[in-house]
Amino acid sequence: KSSSSSRTTTSQLTDAPAGGRAVTISQDGRPEILGAGNPLLEISNVMVHLYKTAFGRGPTHARARFAGADVVVVVLQDTMTVSERRLVSLGQHERLREHRLALHDTVSDEMRSAVERVLDRPTLALISGIDTQRDVAVETFLLAPVPSD
């Protein structure tokens, strides 16, 4: 049956990135979960909250996207505090990365748990990075493959 939205048809389901939930491919080629609110928006919102908890300031822009069936990438912009920006102005990029990594360790389990809860799939890995020159951070989650029935 056809849908009038940007989705294709429900007969064109993919290997579901979201566990047992039905998934279609949008016109721009991204997986979309049917029958749910917006799990990618929920993941973005959780990451903003956890960044604020860990670093003292949440990003002003956050976006989560599937990068294939088993990878979720969250891009967070404008995340640095005033003191972190000061370190950047002093050229202390490595010190800032070390500081961020130490604080990130305090919320990484919560990040993984949130993605697992929202997508109903285990995470195999969480890889994090920050571009201190441009104030852009990335959280990349590798998901366990969906078991075949």
Side-chain angles (χ1 to χ4, degrees), residues 16-137:
R21 297 179 186 160
V23 175
T24 104
I25 301 297
S26 68
Q27 288 179 342
D28 60 1
R30 289 180 286 163
E32 290 185 16
I33 298 171
L34 301 176
N38 185 336
L40 295 175
L41 179 59
E42 186 176 346
I43 290 169
S44 295
N45 288 339
V46 168
M47 295 303 134
V48 168
H49 170 74
L50 291 173
Y51 261 64
K52 186 173 184 178
T53 299
F55 306 122
R57 180 176 194 279
T60 59
H61 299 5
R63 180 160 295 211
R65 291 284 187 247
F66 282 103
D70 298 329
V71 176
V72 173
V73 177
V74 185
V75 178
L76 305 118
Q77 296 174 287
D78 193 23
T79 66
M80 286 192 256
T81 64
V82 172
S83 61
E84 290 172 329
R85 288 189 184 115
R86 182 74 177 142
L87 286 173
V88 169
S89 71
L90 296 171
Q92 298 292 315
H93 300 280
E94 197 55 41
R95 182 170 290 177
L96 174 54
R97 282 187 197 92
E98 290 171 9
H99 170 76
R100 276 291 177 112
L101 185 58
L103 293 175
H104 189 277
D105 286 345
T106 68
V107 292
S108 62
D109 287 343
E110 291 174 83
M111 289 178 172
R112 291 176 72 151
S113 293
V115 170
E116 290 172 354
R117 177 185 50 79
V118 170
L119 297 179
D120 194 25
R121 287 179 65 186
T123 58
L124 300 177
L126 167 57
I127 303 156
S128 304
I130 184 168
D131 181 333
T132 58
Q133 302 256 1
R134 291 169 187 83
D135 196 359
V136 176

